[in-house]
Amino acid sequence: MALRSNSSTSRESSEKITIQNVSRSYESTQALADVSFSVAEGEFCCVVGPSGCGKTTLLRAIAGLDDPDSGSVLVDGNPVSDPGLDRGMVFQEYALFPWRTVRGNIRFGLDRPACDCADCEARVRELIDLVGLEGFEDAYPKELSGGMKQRVGIARALAVDPEILLMDEPFGSVDARTRDRLHSELIDIWTQTEQTVVFITHDIDEAVTLADHVVVMDADPGTVQSTFSINLERPRERTSPDFVDLVAQIRDELGSPVETTV
Amino acid sequence: MSTRTDTSSEMVVAGSFEGDLRRYLRGLGGLLVFLVVWWVGAMTTQPSYLVPGPLDSARAFVDLFTTSTAIVVPVLGSSLVLPTGLAHLAQTLFHYVPGLLLGAGCGIGLGLAMGWNGALDDWLRPLVRVLRPIPPLAWVVFAIVWFGIHHTGAAFIVFVGAFWINFYGAYGGVEGVSSDLTDAASTLGVERDLSMLKLVALPSAAPQVLTGFRTSIGRCWMIVVGAELFGAPGVGYEIINASNNLAMDTSVAYMFLISLAFLCMDVGFRLLEGRVLAWR
């Protein structure tokens, strides 16, 4: 099922990521069973579902870190086989290089031969400004709070200017207040960079706060259950009737109780 | 943005100076008690060479630096006159240092290679299991028949000792590299295996590699003295040599010289380690 609606995005949308009949199993569990959907260029897509529904596997397949057993993942119509600089990834547990400073982490991708920025130092400074880490350029990850670590993770992924940003429950381990702030910052960044974002979460509120589209997955086997278009003005009010209504619809769709933030 | 407060340190240890002072005084007390027990033991034991007293040993220690001895520098072949203690310490270092550095280099090299390359690991793991338990000093027989028990032979034994400790440090370090970090690196453009080893595996394994090396500094002092008891020149040989003349106080002086040499190296390396691993 190709699920796409043009109504939610004002940008001209064409398919950026296409997932076709992807299946993947690990030993006895079927993480993904015949999963298909697509994400339009410039779209913010959230994938929600209970743990074990294969959402991380799906993200890793798009990143090229994990090969599906069958089916294919296409980016711009080309099958994905390896990781590439066109797809940046933000990890749940940050995955910062602990021996590199904030600056060194952000710079990591720029120093690979693949990238040719005219002035890498200026680019790093720009990114540090973008994620609000001025003054922490020379701090090591161990000196940072969870929210700050994830800011570094985002800046590091953005450094090589990927067309697609893949985010695996990036704000799962930060406190609720920090998460709210990171949400609005992420939307600001996304508005500026016009990237295509695939954002994994198990938190329905988070998905409705951020996404143009929410893909709802079911576990065991991991399948796409339905897709919702979120046509609400940003920034979104969690208390607005439309917001509450959408969250309720998605929760009904998921059936079993799924953890949400209060 | 008010995130700056997030990093404010909670480490304000009150009265740490008093704590330090107390620990310092207790340590000093322990040393004093030891000296008294040693002194009383020496006074009451006959014949006196069985337990040389602290004063005699101190005098012998001073003698190590007031007399001088000529030694031959290996490879160069030139002769060198130094205070006796330093001369014999230098003799030890002539095989200790090359043995340690070569052994550490080879051990770290093989450890990294096996930890990183699964096929190589499959090939060599059983062999490692067989060779690893052999105590380095057991190789002394081959050191003698292959190299003769001089600097080269002793260096070989030190090499074996340094090799395994450093091997396991590097092997464990590389095996423990988090897959999150290698995943992150590959999404950031690291494609070749060698780049991954250099940019991710090596820095990530550095703490364990350095701990392995620091352990080998101490272990190799034990081994080197063992090797010298078989006849290689150096402080270990002097311990035996002095005891053959029943100059047990001189043996004790050399024992403390070894302890001092080890302490200096250990402290020096810890300082270096602290600087290199400031990120931990």
Side-chain angles (χ1 to χ4, degrees):
Chain A
M1 61 182 175
L3 295 149
R4 193 156 56 83
S5 130
N6 293 329
S7 59
S8 68
T9 45
S10 52
R11 295 167 192 164
E12 187 60 40
S13 32
S14 61
E15 276 190 15
K16 184 73 184 170
I17 304 168
T18 316
I19 291 149
Q20 288 175 336
N21 313 104
V22 166
S23 298
R24 177 78 165 98
S25 44
Y26 296 102
E27 280 147 27
S28 60
T29 54
Q30 178 122 33
L32 295 171
D34 199 23
V35 168
S36 300
F37 69 93
S38 62
V39 183
E41 180 147 17
E43 183 183 40
F44 200 122
C45 172
C46 277
V47 179
V48 291
S51 356
C53 71
K55 43 196 198 301
T56 295
T57 307
L58 186 66
L59 201 71
R60 291 175 59 83
I62 303 172
L65 293 169
D66 193 69
D67 291 328
D69 298 332
S70 62
S72 54
V73 176
L74 308 176
V75 168
D76 291 326
N78 305 312
V80 164
S81 57
D82 291 306
L85 290 172
D86 58 329
R87 284 152 288 141
M89 182 129 170
V90 177
F91 294 80
Q92 188 173 4
E93 296 302 331
Y94 324 120
L96 301 182
F97 304 115
W99 57 88
R100 284 175 168 251
T101 59
V102 167
R103 196 200 306 269
N105 266 282
I106 296 174
R107 183 143 184 161
F108 188 90
L110 296 177
D111 287 338
R112 298 308 108 241
C115 194
D116 51 349
C117 44
D119 183 354
C120 288
E121 269 309 303
R123 173 83 182 132
V124 170
R125 269 200 305 279
E126 186 186 307
L127 286 157
I128 285 174
D129 277 359
L130 185 70
V131 296
L133 284 172
E134 305 89 345
F136 291 101
E137 290 86 348
D138 297 316
Y140 286 106
K142 68 162 182 189
E143 301 166 280
L144 305 178
S145 67
M148 296 166 85
K149 281 185 193 158
Q150 203 52 292
R151 288 189 163 94
V152 179
I154 292 168
R156 182 178 68 176
L158 291 173
V160 292
D161 204 13
E163 291 159 27
I164 297 170
L165 196 56
L166 305 169
M167 308 182 82
D168 184 8
E169 298 197 37
F171 308 140
S173 2
V174 299
D175 64 86
R177 233 170 47 116
T178 309
R179 190 181 326 176
D180 284 349
R181 201 164 57 214
L182 288 167
H183 282 161
S184 68
E185 287 172 20
L186 178 61
I187 290 298
D188 285 349
I189 290 169
W190 170 68
T191 313
Q192 284 177 46
T193 56
E194 306 193 337
Q195 277 149 333
T196 308
V197 180
V198 181
F199 187 108
I200 303 286
T201 179
H202 59 258
D203 178 345
I204 300 169
D205 275 27
E206 183 169 53
V208 177
T209 304
L210 297 171
D212 292 322
H213 272 102
V214 176
V215 174
V216 180
M217 290 186 72
D218 195 13
D220 203 19
T223 49
V224 173
Q225 206 164 10
S226 53
T227 303
F228 289 81
S229 296
I230 315 291
N231 297 309
L232 302 175
E233 281 290 305
R234 292 186 176 95
R236 293 170 180 166
E237 277 301 322
R238 282 191 197 164
T239 46
S240 80
D242 287 345
F243 191 100
V244 173
D245 185 47
L246 269 163
V247 170
Q249 277 183 45
I250 295 175
R251 185 167 295 130
D252 282 351
E253 190 65 34
L254 276 163
S256 50
V258 169
E259 194 189 325
T260 58
T261 49
V262 182
Chain B
M1 188 161 295
S2 62
T3 46
R4 268 159 218 222
T5 50
D6 292 357
T7 52
S8 70
S9 147
E10 68 269 39
M11 288 220 312
V12 182
V13 183
S16 73
F17 173 73
E18 280 162 42
D20 278 354
L21 191 68
R22 189 165 52 228
R23 208 172 319 125
Y24 196 66
L25 288 175
R26 282 174 177 169
L28 210 63
L31 278 176
L32 276 175
V33 170
F34 170 74
L35 276 174
V36 168
V37 170
W38 179 12
W39 184 67
V40 171
M43 292 275 284
T44 53
T45 310
Q46 285 300 327
S48 63
Y49 68 79
L50 284 181
V51 182
L55 276 176
D56 289 338
S57 302
R59 210 173 292 124
F61 190 82
V62 171
D63 283 346
L64 294 186
F65 297 92
T66 52
T67 57
S68 47
T69 301
I71 53 165
V72 177
V73 183
V75 185
L76 298 179
S78 57
S79 119
L80 188 66
V81 180
L82 286 173
T84 306
L86 292 182
H88 294 303
L89 194 61
Q91 282 180 319
T92 294
L93 293 176
F94 289 149
H95 44 257
Y96 173 90
V97 172
L100 175 69
L101 293 183
L102 267 176
C106 295
I108 290 169
L110 185 70
L112 292 178
M114 275 178 69
W116 193 241
N117 186 318
L120 192 69
D121 191 30
D122 292 344
W123 273 93
L124 296 182
R125 199 172 357 184
L127 182 65
V128 165
R129 285 256 170 86
V130 173
L131 291 181
R132 145 84 221 190
I134 301 171
L137 274 175
W139 290 95
V140 83
V141 288
F142 286 102
I144 292 169
V145 295
W146 288 345
F147 305 108
I149 190 71
H150 206 69
H151 287 305
T152 320
F156 170 72
I157 296 165
V158 174
F159 172 93
V160 175
F163 182 87
W164 290 116
I165 302 169
N166 283 285
F167 168 84
Y168 274 102
Y171 184 77
V174 170
E175 264 206 332
V177 174
S178 122
S179 61
D180 257 13
L181 293 184
T182 51
D183 282 350
S186 25
T187 64
L188 290 165
V190 174
E191 286 167 3
R192 289 178 316 131
D193 223 26
L194 214 61
S195 316
M196 190 65 87
L197 184 66
K198 182 176 142 227
L199 289 163
V200 180
L202 258 181
S204 170
Q208 273 173 278
V209 170
L210 292 180
T211 303
F213 187 76
R214 185 156 48 74
T215 313
S216 71
I217 288 178
R219 191 72 64 82
C220 285
W221 271 106
M222 301 179 200
I223 292 166
V224 83
V225 170
E228 288 172 7
L229 295 181
F230 287 92
V235 281
Y237 178 79
E238 294 307 316
I239 293 175
I240 282 278
N241 196 25
S243 81
N244 286 341
N245 302 325
L246 293 186
M248 303 308 284
D249 46 359
T250 306
S251 295
V252 172
Y254 278 112
M255 286 159 71
F256 280 114
L257 185 62
I258 291 170
S259 160
L260 211 61
F262 165 73
L263 271 178
C264 289
M265 291 178 84
D266 192 57
V267 168
F269 193 75
R270 270 175 205 272
L271 288 176
L272 185 81
E273 213 180 349
R275 285 186 69 133
V276 175
L277 301 180
W279 52 269
R280 279 221 293 183

Coordinates of all heavy atoms in Angstrom, one line a residue, chain A residues 60 65 83-85 87 89 91 95-100 108-109 112 132 134 136 140 142-143 145 148 151 156 181 185, chain B residues 1-7 179-191 199-201 203-204 277-280:
Chain A
R60 N 17.1 1.4 10.2 CA 18.4 0.9 9.9 C 18.5 0.5 8.4 O 19.5 0.6 7.8 CB 18.8 -0.2 10.8 CG 19.1 0.3 12.3 CD 19.4 -0.8 13.2 NE 20.6 -1.6 12.8 CZ 21.8 -1.2 13.0 NH1 22.0 -0.2 13.7 NH2 22.8 -2.0 12.6
L65 N 22.3 0.3 7.1 CA 23.0 -0.4 8.1 C 22.5 -1.8 8.3 O 23.2 -2.7 8.9 CB 22.9 0.3 9.5 CG 23.5 1.7 9.6 CD1 23.1 2.4 10.9 CD2 25.1 1.6 9.5
P83 N 25.4 2.5 3.8 CA 25.2 3.8 4.4 C 25.8 4.8 3.4 O 26.7 4.6 2.7 CB 26.0 3.8 5.7 CG 26.3 2.3 6.0 CD 26.3 1.6 4.7
G84 N 25.3 6.0 3.5 CA 25.8 7.1 2.6 C 25.6 8.4 3.3 O 24.8 8.6 4.2
L85 N 26.3 9.4 2.8 CA 26.3 10.8 3.4 C 25.0 11.5 3.1 O 24.7 12.5 3.7 CB 27.5 11.6 2.9 CG 28.8 11.2 3.4 CD1 29.9 11.9 2.7 CD2 28.9 11.4 4.9
R87 N 22.2 10.3 3.8 CA 21.3 9.9 4.9 C 22.0 10.0 6.2 O 22.9 9.2 6.6 CB 20.8 8.5 4.7 CG 19.7 8.3 3.6 CD 19.8 6.9 3.0 NE 21.0 6.7 2.2 CZ 21.7 5.6 2.1 NH1 21.4 4.6 2.9 NH2 22.8 5.6 1.4
M89 N 22.1 10.1 10.4 CA 21.3 9.3 11.4 C 21.6 9.9 12.8 O 22.7 10.2 13.2 CB 21.8 7.8 11.4 CG 21.0 7.0 12.3 SD 20.3 5.5 11.5 CE 19.8 4.5 12.9
F91 N 21.0 8.8 16.8 CA 20.8 7.6 17.5 C 20.1 7.8 18.9 O 20.3 8.8 19.5 CB 22.2 6.9 17.8 CG 22.8 6.4 16.5 CD1 23.5 7.3 15.7 CD2 22.8 5.1 16.1 CE1 24.1 6.9 14.5 CE2 23.4 4.7 14.9 CZ 24.1 5.6 14.1
A95 N 25.3 7.9 20.7 CA 26.5 7.3 19.9 C 27.5 8.4 19.6 O 28.0 8.4 18.5 CB 26.0 6.6 18.7
L96 N 27.7 9.3 20.5 CA 28.8 10.3 20.3 C 30.2 9.6 20.5 O 30.3 8.7 21.3 CB 28.7 11.5 21.3 CG 27.4 12.2 21.2 CD1 27.4 13.4 22.2 CD2 27.1 12.8 19.8
F97 N 31.2 10.1 19.8 CA 32.5 9.6 20.1 C 33.1 10.2 21.3 O 33.3 11.4 21.4 CB 33.4 9.9 18.9 CG 32.9 9.4 17.6 CD1 32.5 10.3 16.6 CD2 32.7 8.0 17.4 CE1 32.0 9.8 15.4 CE2 32.2 7.6 16.2 CZ 31.8 8.5 15.2
P98 N 33.2 9.4 22.4 CA 33.5 10.0 23.7 C 34.9 10.7 23.8 O 35.1 11.5 24.6 CB 33.4 8.8 24.7 CG 33.5 7.6 23.9 CD 33.0 8.0 22.5
W99 N 35.8 10.3 22.9 CA 37.1 10.8 22.9 C 37.2 12.1 22.1 O 38.3 12.7 22.0 CB 38.1 9.8 22.4 CG 37.8 9.3 21.0 CD1 38.3 9.9 19.8 CD2 37.0 8.2 20.6 NE1 37.8 9.2 18.7 CE2 37.0 8.2 19.2 CE3 36.3 7.3 21.3 CZ2 36.3 7.2 18.5 CZ3 35.6 6.3 20.6 CH2 35.6 6.3 19.3
R100 N 36.1 12.5 21.5 CA 36.2 13.8 20.7 C 35.3 14.8 21.4 O 34.3 14.5 22.0 CB 35.6 13.5 19.3 CG 36.6 12.8 18.4 CD 35.9 12.5 17.0 NE 36.9 12.1 16.1 CZ 37.2 12.8 15.0 NH1 36.7 14.0 14.8 NH2 38.1 12.4 14.2
F108 N 33.4 15.3 12.6 CA 33.8 14.0 12.2 C 33.4 13.7 10.7 O 34.3 13.4 9.9 CB 33.1 12.9 13.0 CG 33.6 11.5 12.8 CD1 34.6 11.0 13.5 CD2 33.0 10.7 11.8 CE1 35.1 9.7 13.3 CE2 33.4 9.4 11.6 CZ 34.5 8.9 12.3
G109 N 32.2 14.0 10.3 CA 31.8 13.7 8.9 C 32.4 14.7 7.9 O 32.6 14.3 6.8
R112 N 35.8 13.5 6.6 CA 35.9 12.3 5.7 C 36.2 12.9 4.3 O 35.6 14.0 4.0 CB 34.6 11.5 5.7 CG 34.3 10.8 7.0 CD 35.3 10.0 7.6 NE 35.9 10.6 8.8 CZ 37.1 11.0 8.9 NH1 38.0 10.8 8.0 NH2 37.5 11.6 10.0
G132 N 22.5 25.5 19.5 CA 22.6 26.2 20.8 C 23.6 25.7 21.7 O 23.3 25.5 22.9
E134 N 26.8 27.0 22.0 CA 27.9 28.0 22.2 C 28.5 27.9 23.6 O 27.7 27.8 24.6 CB 27.4 29.4 21.9 CG 26.7 29.7 20.6 CD 25.2 29.4 20.8 OE1 24.7 28.8 21.8 OE2 24.4 29.8 19.8
F136 N 30.3 25.4 24.6 CA 30.6 24.0 24.9 C 31.4 23.4 23.8 O 31.5 22.1 23.8 CB 29.3 23.2 25.1 CG 28.6 23.6 26.4 CD1 27.5 24.5 26.3 CD2 29.1 23.2 27.6 CE1 26.9 24.9 27.5 CE2 28.4 23.6 28.8 CZ 27.3 24.4 28.7
Y140 N 33.8 17.5 26.4 CA 33.7 16.2 26.0 C 32.3 15.7 26.3 O 31.6 16.2 27.3 CB 34.7 15.3 26.8 CG 36.1 15.5 26.3 CD1 37.1 16.2 27.0 CD2 36.5 14.9 25.1 CE1 38.4 16.4 26.5 CE2 37.8 15.1 24.6 CZ 38.7 15.8 25.3 OH 40.0 16.0 24.8
K142 N 31.1 13.3 28.0 CA 30.8 13.0 29.4 C 30.4 14.2 30.3 O 29.8 14.1 31.3 CB 32.0 12.3 30.1 CG 33.2 13.3 30.3 CD 34.2 12.8 31.2 CE 35.3 13.9 31.4 NZ 36.5 13.5 32.1
E143 N 30.7 15.4 29.8 CA 30.4 16.6 30.6 C 29.1 17.2 30.2 O 28.7 18.2 30.8 CB 31.5 17.7 30.3 CG 32.9 17.2 30.7 CD 34.0 18.2 30.1 OE1 34.3 18.0 28.9 OE2 34.5 19.0 30.8
S145 N 24.8 17.0 29.5 CA 23.5 16.4 29.8 C 22.9 15.7 28.6 O 23.4 15.9 27.5 CB 22.5 17.4 30.3 OG 22.2 18.3 29.2
M148 N 21.8 17.9 25.8 CA 22.9 18.5 25.1 C 23.6 17.5 24.2 O 24.1 17.8 23.1 CB 23.9 19.1 26.1 CG 23.3 20.3 26.9 SD 24.3 20.7 28.3 CE 25.5 21.8 27.5
R151 N 21.8 17.2 21.1 CA 22.0 18.4 20.2 C 23.3 18.1 19.4 O 23.3 18.4 18.2 CB 22.2 19.6 21.0 CG 20.9 20.1 21.7 CD 21.1 21.5 22.3 NE 19.9 22.2 22.5 CZ 19.3 22.1 23.7 NH1 19.8 21.5 24.7 NH2 18.1 22.8 23.9
R156 N 26.0 16.8 14.4 CA 26.9 15.9 13.8 C 26.3 15.3 12.5 O 26.9 15.2 11.4 CB 27.4 14.8 14.7 CG 28.4 13.8 14.1 CD 28.8 12.8 15.1 NE 27.7 11.8 15.4 CZ 27.8 10.8 16.2 NH1 29.0 10.5 16.7 NH2 26.8 10.0 16.4
R181 N 11.4 21.5 24.4 CA 12.3 22.6 23.7 C 13.0 22.0 22.5 O 13.1 22.6 21.5 CB 13.3 23.0 24.7 CG 13.9 24.4 24.4 CD 14.6 25.0 25.6 NE 15.6 24.1 26.1 CZ 16.0 24.0 27.3 NH1 15.4 24.7 28.3 NH2 16.9 23.2 27.7
E185 N 12.9 23.2 18.5 CA 14.2 23.5 17.8 C 14.3 22.6 16.6 O 14.8 23.1 15.5 CB 15.4 23.2 18.8 CG 15.6 24.3 19.8 CD 16.6 23.9 20.9 OE1 17.5 23.1 20.5 OE2 16.6 24.5 21.9
Chain B
M1 N 19.4 30.5 25.8 CA 19.2 29.1 26.2 C 19.9 28.8 27.5 O 21.0 29.1 27.8 CB 19.8 28.2 25.1 CG 19.5 26.7 25.3 SD 19.7 25.8 23.8 CE 18.5 26.6 22.8
S2 N 19.1 28.1 28.4 CA 19.6 28.0 29.8 C 20.3 26.7 30.1 O 20.3 26.2 31.2 CB 18.4 28.2 30.7 OG 17.5 27.2 30.5
T3 N 20.7 26.0 29.0 CA 21.3 24.7 29.2 C 22.6 24.7 29.9 O 23.1 23.6 30.3 CB 21.5 24.0 27.9 OG1 22.1 24.9 27.0 CG2 20.2 23.5 27.3
R4 N 23.2 25.9 30.0 CA 24.6 25.9 30.6 C 24.6 25.4 32.0 O 25.6 24.8 32.5 CB 25.1 27.3 30.6 CG 25.9 27.5 29.3 CD 26.0 29.0 29.0 NE 25.8 29.1 27.6 CZ 26.6 30.0 26.9 NH1 27.5 30.7 27.5 NH2 26.5 30.0 25.6
T5 N 23.5 25.6 32.7 CA 23.4 25.1 34.1 C 23.5 23.6 34.2 O 23.8 23.0 35.2 CB 22.1 25.6 34.8 OG1 21.1 25.2 34.0 CG2 22.2 27.1 35.1
D6 N 23.1 22.9 33.1 CA 23.1 21.4 33.1 C 24.5 20.9 33.5 O 24.5 19.8 34.0 CB 22.8 20.9 31.7 CG 21.3 21.3 31.3 OD1 20.7 21.9 32.2 OD2 20.9 21.0 30.2
T7 N 25.5 21.6 33.1 CA 26.8 20.9 33.3 C 27.5 21.4 34.6 O 28.6 20.9 34.9 CB 27.8 21.3 32.2 OG1 27.8 22.7 32.1 CG2 27.5 20.6 30.9
S179 N 28.9 -1.1 18.7 CA 28.4 -1.1 17.3 C 27.7 0.2 17.0 O 27.6 0.6 15.8 CB 27.5 -2.3 17.1 OG 26.4 -2.2 17.9
D180 N 27.1 0.8 18.0 CA 26.5 2.2 17.8 C 27.6 3.1 17.2 O 27.3 3.9 16.3 CB 26.0 2.7 19.1 CG 24.5 2.6 19.3 OD1 23.9 1.9 18.4 OD2 24.0 3.3 20.2
L181 N 28.8 3.1 17.7 CA 29.8 4.0 17.3 C 30.3 3.7 15.9 O 30.5 4.6 15.0 CB 31.0 4.0 18.2 CG 30.8 4.5 19.6 CD1 32.1 4.5 20.4 CD2 30.2 5.9 19.6
T182 N 30.4 2.4 15.5 CA 30.8 2.0 14.2 C 29.6 2.4 13.2 O 29.9 2.8 12.1 CB 31.2 0.6 14.0 OG1 30.2 -0.2 14.6 CG2 32.5 0.3 14.8
D183 N 28.4 2.2 13.7 CA 27.2 2.6 12.8 C 27.3 4.0 12.6 O 27.1 4.5 11.4 CB 25.9 2.2 13.5 CG 25.6 0.7 13.4 OD1 26.3 0.0 12.6 OD2 24.7 0.2 14.1
A184 N 27.5 4.8 13.6 CA 27.5 6.3 13.5 C 28.6 6.7 12.5 O 28.3 7.5 11.6 CB 27.7 7.0 14.8
A185 N 29.8 6.1 12.6 CA 30.9 6.4 11.7 C 30.5 6.0 10.3 O 30.8 6.8 9.4 CB 32.1 5.7 12.2
S186 N 29.8 4.9 10.1 CA 29.6 4.6 8.7 C 28.5 5.5 8.1 O 28.6 5.8 6.9 CB 29.2 3.1 8.4 OG 28.7 2.5 9.6
T187 N 27.6 6.0 8.9 CA 26.6 6.9 8.3 C 27.3 8.3 8.1 O 26.8 9.1 7.4 CB 25.4 7.2 9.2 OG1 25.8 7.8 10.4 CG2 24.7 5.9 9.5
L188 N 28.5 8.5 8.6 CA 29.2 9.7 8.4 C 30.3 9.6 7.4 O 31.2 10.4 7.3 CB 29.8 10.3 9.8 CG 28.7 10.7 10.7 CD1 29.2 10.9 12.1 CD2 28.1 12.1 10.3
G189 N 30.3 8.5 6.7 CA 31.2 8.5 5.5 C 32.4 7.6 5.7 O 33.3 7.6 4.8
V190 N 32.5 6.8 6.8 CA 33.7 5.9 7.0 C 33.4 4.7 6.2 O 32.4 4.0 6.6 CB 34.0 5.6 8.4 CG1 35.1 4.6 8.6 CG2 34.4 6.9 9.1
E191 N 34.1 4.4 5.2 CA 33.8 3.2 4.3 C 34.8 2.1 4.5 O 34.4 0.9 4.6 CB 33.7 3.6 2.9 CG 32.5 4.4 2.6 CD 32.5 5.1 1.2 OE1 33.5 4.9 0.5 OE2 31.6 5.8 0.9
L199 N 39.9 5.4 13.0 CA 39.0 6.5 13.6 C 38.1 6.1 14.7 O 37.8 7.0 15.5 CB 38.2 7.1 12.4 CG 39.0 7.8 11.4 CD1 38.1 8.0 10.1 CD2 39.4 9.2 11.9
V200 N 37.7 4.8 14.8 CA 36.8 4.4 15.8 C 37.4 3.4 16.8 O 37.4 3.6 18.0 CB 35.5 3.9 15.2 CG1 34.5 3.6 16.3 CG2 34.9 5.0 14.3
A201 N 37.8 2.3 16.2 CA 38.2 1.2 17.1 C 39.4 1.5 17.9 O 39.4 1.3 19.1 CB 38.5 -0.1 16.2
P203 N 40.8 4.6 19.0 CA 40.5 5.5 20.1 C 39.6 4.9 21.1 O 39.8 5.2 22.3 CB 39.9 6.8 19.4 CG 39.8 6.5 18.0 CD 40.4 5.2 17.7
S204 N 38.7 4.1 20.7 CA 37.7 3.5 21.6 C 38.4 2.5 22.5 O 38.1 2.3 23.7 CB 36.6 2.9 20.8 OG 35.8 2.2 21.6
L277 N 43.9 10.3 28.1 CA 42.5 9.9 28.3 C 41.7 10.9 29.0 O 40.8 10.6 29.8 CB 42.5 8.6 29.0 CG 43.2 7.4 28.3 CD1 43.1 6.2 29.2 CD2 42.7 7.2 26.9
A278 N 42.0 12.2 28.8 CA 41.3 13.3 29.5 C 39.7 13.2 29.2 O 38.9 13.7 30.0 CB 41.8 14.6 29.1
W279 N 39.4 12.6 28.1 CA 38.0 12.5 27.8 C 37.2 11.5 28.6 O 35.9 11.5 28.6 CB 37.8 12.1 26.3 CG 38.5 10.9 25.9 CD1 39.8 10.8 25.4 CD2 38.1 9.5 25.9 NE1 40.2 9.5 25.1 CE2 39.1 8.7 25.4 CE3 36.8 9.0 26.2 CZ2 38.9 7.3 25.2 CZ3 36.7 7.6 26.1 CH2 37.7 6.8 25.6
R280 N 37.8 10.7 29.4 CA 37.1 9.7 30.1 C 36.4 10.2 31.3 O 37.0 11.0 32.1 CB 38.0 8.5 30.6 CG 38.3 7.6 29.4 CD 38.3 6.2 29.9 NE 39.4 6.0 30.8 CZ 39.7 4.8 31.3 NH1 38.9 3.8 31.1 NH2 40.7 4.6 32.1

